[in-house]
Amino acid sequence: MWESICLTLMATAGNNIGKVLQKKGTVILPPLSFKLKVISAYISNKLWVVGFLMDISGAILMLRALSQAPVSVIQPVSGCGLAILCVFSHFYLKEVMNALDWVGIALAGAGTIGVGFGGEEQNGSIVSLFHLPLMGFSVALLFALLDTWLRIYKRRRQDQELMHSEVIEEIIFGLESGILFGMASVISKMGFVFSEQGFSKIVVPICISISICCSATGFVYQTRGLKHGRAIVVSTCAAVASIVTGVLAGMLALGEHMPTSPVARVTLLLGWLFIILGVILLVSSTRLMALLPRPIRRHLRSNLEKNQNLRRSGSVRAKDPSPSAVIQASTLHHLVTSPAKEKA
């Protein structure tokens, strides 16, 4: 189990950090196209190449992790990608982190350890063909309800001639994209389980292809939410929905179950909870800091400035408020780039 968790952490680190390096590398590059000059420019850019190779390596490692451990363990642990990205940005990109960022990282780390201990007693997955139509119907019904809810609020917003997106629209787009990201991991895992049960080996690439389609569709939904909505709401809903979907679908569709030992069960549940809370804090720490009483904010800010002065060797760069960080490297094919923070 610990080997799979380590593989997942390495995979999600490669996905997140790789995409950030690719973005930094493309700052001086033209838009990607099939022109020979453009392709040569990308290949000759070392930063972009390193980021691309890290992203691909993360995808391969995630496949390996999914083939060894239950998706109800892999999916929550992959949510720690944001914590890894924050640490990388702090030490390598010299980005400033506040106290809540460090609390979120600590919660995500503690949650990972809890999932590792609690998930050790889980047995292998057994997929029942009768569960697959039920899972597909449940996801389709959930999306139908969310889309109906979205249409109602859009019609209401048009009738009232409101120009800005309502919070309910941001939540729905975030939930829909997160559900698709979570299902991508479940479907990939399903291919390995079918192969272990004696089905043809062709089911593995088929399931991986379907997983890629789910991730790409999730990217579209998340992009629609980020275009007009607030990144903090869309990103938080997507992150939490991806973890919850992976856990529930893994248990209902893949036959995964809770540990038999009460201690292991509690440890696993606490691990899931800590990871979710850590992700929420990392996404919304800037906004939450603004809600704290002014004396506490001043105290935390003064401590942060002291720490930055001690470690500053050059100029310290503030956080980039643009959509650059990747939240959910939660699946092996995550194509999403969404904001790590939204400035207050």
Side-chain angles (χ1 to χ4, degrees), residues 165-175 228-230 233-234:
S165 173
E166 294 189 18
V167 64
I168 196 64
E169 298 180 33
E170 301 164 343
I171 293 175
I172 291 175
F173 281 126
L175 291 176
H228 301 292
R230 293 169 296 174
V233 178
V234 178

Side-chain angles (χ1 to χ4, degrees), residues 30-71:
L32 183 61
S33 66
F34 291 102
K35 295 181 179 179
L36 183 59
K37 292 183 178 180
V38 175
I39 296 177
S40 300
Y42 274 79
I43 295 177
S44 60
N45 187 293
K46 295 182 179 180
L47 193 60
W48 184 87
V49 171
V50 171
F52 177 77
L53 293 177
M54 289 185 67
D55 199 2
I56 296 299
S57 299
I60 297 174
L61 291 175
M62 186 64 77
L63 277 174
R64 180 64 177 172
L66 285 169
S67 67
Q68 294 180 348
V71 70

Side-chain angles (χ1 to χ4, degrees), residues 146-161:
L146 291 174
D147 285 338
T148 301
W149 195 6
L150 180 61
R151 291 193 187 95
I152 292 174
Y153 272 87
K154 278 187 174 181
R155 188 178 300 111
R156 175 187 171 188
R157 182 162 58 88
Q158 292 174 355
D159 293 340
Q160 297 179 356
E161 297 182 353

Side-chain angles (χ1 to χ4, degrees), residues 64-225:
R64 180 64 177 172
L66 285 169
S67 67
Q68 294 180 348
V71 70
S72 57
V73 171
I74 299 301
Q75 188 69 13
V77 172
S78 66
C80 297
L82 181 58
I84 298 174
L85 178 61
C86 287
V87 174
F88 170 79
S89 300
H90 178 66
F91 289 103
Y92 179 73
L93 302 179
K94 309 301 180 183
E95 294 190 351
V96 180
M97 293 178 61
N98 58 46
L100 291 182
D101 287 326
W102 291 110
V103 173
I105 291 173
L107 286 174
T112 301
I113 296 174
V115 170
F117 280 111
E120 288 180 348
E121 295 188 6
Q122 294 194 33
N123 298 324
S125 304
I126 300 177
V127 179
S128 173
L129 295 178
F130 297 101
H131 292 166
L132 300 184
L134 179 61
M135 182 184 69
F137 175 77
S138 300
V139 173
L141 178 62
L142 181 58
F143 263 78
L145 293 175
L146 291 174
D147 285 338
T148 301
W149 195 6
L150 180 61
R151 291 193 187 95
I152 292 174
Y153 272 87
K154 278 187 174 181
R155 188 178 300 111
R156 175 187 171 188
R157 182 162 58 88
Q158 292 174 355
D159 293 340
Q160 297 179 356
E161 297 182 353
L162 299 176
M163 297 301 295
H164 298 288
S165 173
E166 294 189 18
V167 64
I168 196 64
E169 298 180 33
E170 301 164 343
I171 293 175
I172 291 175
F173 281 126
L175 291 176
E176 289 179 332
S177 61
I179 291 171
L180 288 168
F181 295 146
M183 290 304 301
S185 291
V186 174
I187 294 172
S188 295
K189 174 65 176 180
M190 194 176 296
F192 294 109
V193 175
F194 278 141
S195 179
E196 293 174 357
Q197 292 182 357
F199 287 83
S200 174
K201 298 294 183 180
I202 193 65
V203 297
V204 175
I206 291 177
C207 288
I208 291 177
S209 300
I210 298 175
S211 175
I212 295 175
C213 294
C214 287
S215 291
T217 308
F219 170 74
V220 173
Y221 276 96
Q222 190 177 55
T223 302
R224 290 171 60 186

